[in-house]
Amino acid sequence: MILIKIINTLHLLKRLSKYIKKLNTKKKTTIKDIANVLNISTAAVSKALHDDSRISKKTKKAVKQVAKNLNYQPNHLASALRKGKSNLVGVIVPRTNSNFFSSVIENIEEVLNKKGYNIIITQSNESYKKECSNIDTLLFTQVDGIIASMANETIDLEYYEKIKAKGIPLILFDRGENDLNVDYIGINDYESSHVIVEHLVSQGRKRIAHIGGYKHTRIFNNRIRGYVDALKKHGLPLDNELLLESSLTTADGRAKMAELLKLKNRPDAVYIAGDYAALGALQLLNELHIKVPEDIALVGFGNEPFTAMVTPTITSINQHSAEIGKQAALTFLEHAKKEVINQSLNKIILDAELIVRDSSNLKV
Amino acid sequence: MILIKIINTLHLLKRLSKYIKKLNTKKKTTIKDIANVLNISTAAVSKALHDDSRISKKTKKAVKQVAKNLNYQPNHLASALRKGKSNLVGVIVPRTNSNFFSSVIENIEEVLNKKGYNIIITQSNESYKKECSNIDTLLFTQVDGIIASMANETIDLEYYEKIKAKGIPLILFDRGENDLNVDYIGINDYESSHVIVEHLVSQGRKRIAHIGGYKHTRIFNNRIRGYVDALKKHGLPLDNELLLESSLTTADGRAKMAELLKLKNRPDAVYIAGDYAALGALQLLNELHIKVPEDIALVGFGNEPFTAMVTPTITSINQHSAEIGKQAALTFLEHAKKEVINQSLNKIILDAELIVRDSSNLKV
DNA sequence: AAATTTTGGTTAATCGTTTAACCAAAAAAT
DNA sequence: ATTTTTTGGTTAAACGATTAACCAAAATTT
């Protein structure tokens, strides 16, 4: 009995060594190699590796042992081709070097990796053209789903419709579009504006300006609407001079602030729909020795880390990037579970949080 | 003649419409569908789509037309499986939300996309464990190559050897290891320290401290060596109290600066091997109303955008992220061209550039 | 002891593309 | 008019894993 075991082991060793030699020639190990070593079919190997009930424990153990020895790594392409899914999820963001997006991505990855998915990250750099090419790339790579935040430039939705037409789950976050009728995760922009205006009013401000994003982008439109309605609510008049549309870059924030300073009747507070633009505005104010918040109070949006680094620190809105990432990933997983993909407008709206800092806080 | 053409066209239309119906049922078009419509073999279709010389112009045109009408998109998995390459390149970075890494990535992507490659970005979050799992993931996804910058924690190189063993090109940038014997792209860290020390000496500083990164990481080790040698060169004594090792996070930068301030004989300049740590140090100095640069001059490393945003702005080293990304991508392409992968230590070292800002510049 | 069920596999087709090897018909060369 | 070359394809076998359908032997039931 023991002798047989030893002989068997020796036999196995011999076969193994032959294959290990092959390994060194750099050809990757396949289930066929494992099958050959053990003199069983590739089907048995495949089943053993997936713990199929129709394979004996002994065989499973042997298969796994040999797989380890031969340093076997499953060929993802082959199984993906056969199963019709790639276990890859595409992510499109305007850019990765903003803290908001990189945090969203990190959390998407964390949730999806646990479920065996990998993500492919692409950047649109706020360009519609680049975004289209990203979509093509992702579809070409046979991703199982796409999680995206739209570029500033994007107005035409044709390319996104293409994703839907392919029957691939599409989930939008932050920068979305109602018209696409797909899942969306974001914060309550309309409400955020209210919170900001309320805060400024409580600080005694009477002439509150708003440097907003492009009106055609929903989130920025909501922030503008919120601003307008909040003014009304607090009995403040709406002055069109005080409502500007911007690309929200640092440079444009500076430029739009300069415009506001040219007015005969300057604002005493400025709410800017993006932190980078708020930074530009602050830099100009600092250079001109206009006191913040005493002369003009400043509020940004996004809670980028630098808002806590500059002087004075900038009041901003925390967008709950981690939660947005998680929810986006979970929403995708919901779709992935279902056989039929039934896309519909299903919004998850998170409450935003105002982080009050020096740029708007008069320490009385 | 014309009649025949019309009849042919009608015939084609009929076949097409049948397939367009099939399209709506969401099954993806394959070359088989195109072959059926035109009554030719799939091989001919494949060749036509790749502009093979053995296919007539007429057929090529027809194939391309039908492909367009059926909204054909090649199945990347199938071709990758057959050709034994995925046209995917894996990128591993400590994190994406630093401007340096996101810029490197952007440039890698730009170069590789043009050559038909896509990239998969993964983050290690400075953790060795996460880095290993990232490598597994990428190998599993059958990437054609890996471009990586190592996590702070990484000392053991076993996992990277695994990549080499697989015969997949590995290119390191910024954070590399000589022992791995693979291509490396980075800046001249040793020389950068010299430039910094020289600058501080020219500003009249006599006691220059250095908050460095972990000594086991090559780049940080080089910066330390450069610092030590540059002091010697300028006839300044090396005081061990002034040389600290740090994780270079914002919090640790602050902590290490606090240590330096406790010294009986304080430094009059501090060179910090990372911008985030320099920021932490600056925040502490500002809070304690220690004047920068009058009392203590500060120099960071990396030229992160916020160095130009804070007060005072921080002098730093520009690492040429764009160029590093491009060179890394080009190096990969070199390997991809060759049949046999012959990895060897092949360094591309770029000259770094000192950006002088307020934190070290006494305007006399 | 014969019939049935369970165990532990095997066989062969399949996913969509590529490609080596082959071939018939047309064109060119001798 | 025959041979050679070129043109424009076709056939069939991969790539590696999965899975539906099948089956022999062993175990269990009747």
Side-chain angles (χ1 to χ4, degrees), chain B residues 90-106:
Chain B
V91 176
I92 306 175
V93 291
R95 54 184 182 282
T96 64
N97 68 338
S98 110
N99 199 68
F100 173 69
F101 288 117
S102 98
S103 164
V104 170
I105 291 172
E106 197 181 323

Side-chain angles (χ1 to χ4, degrees), chain B residues 214-231:
Chain B
Y214 293 124
K215 274 200 284 278
H216 69 253
T217 309
R218 194 181 51 191
I219 56 169
F220 297 127
N221 192 20
N222 285 344
R223 288 177 202 174
I224 294 169
R225 287 196 308 109
Y227 160 77
V228 172
D229 289 357
L231 285 187

Side-chain angles (χ1 to χ4, degrees), chain B residues 101-132:
Chain B
F101 288 117
S102 98
S103 164
V104 170
I105 291 172
E106 197 181 323
N107 283 278
I108 291 177
E109 200 186 3
E110 200 182 319
V111 173
L112 292 187
N113 276 354
K114 274 184 198 147
K115 299 289 179 179
Y117 286 93
N118 283 120
I119 66 176
I120 300 185
I121 304 166
T122 61
Q123 306 178 246
S124 68
N125 296 323
E126 301 285 10
S127 142
Y128 176 60
K129 218 174 122 193
K130 184 88 197 296
E131 195 169 71
C132 292

Side-chain angles (χ1 to χ4, degrees), chain A residues 30-31 43 46 50 72 75 78 82:
Chain A
T30 70
I31 52 169
S46 173
H50 289 86
Y72 169 73
N75 185 322
R82 177 61 227 258

Side-chain angles (χ1 to χ4, degrees), chain B residues 31 43 46 50 72 75 78-79 82:
Chain B
I31 54 169
S46 174
H50 290 88
Y72 168 73
N75 185 322
S79 81
R82 177 60 227 255

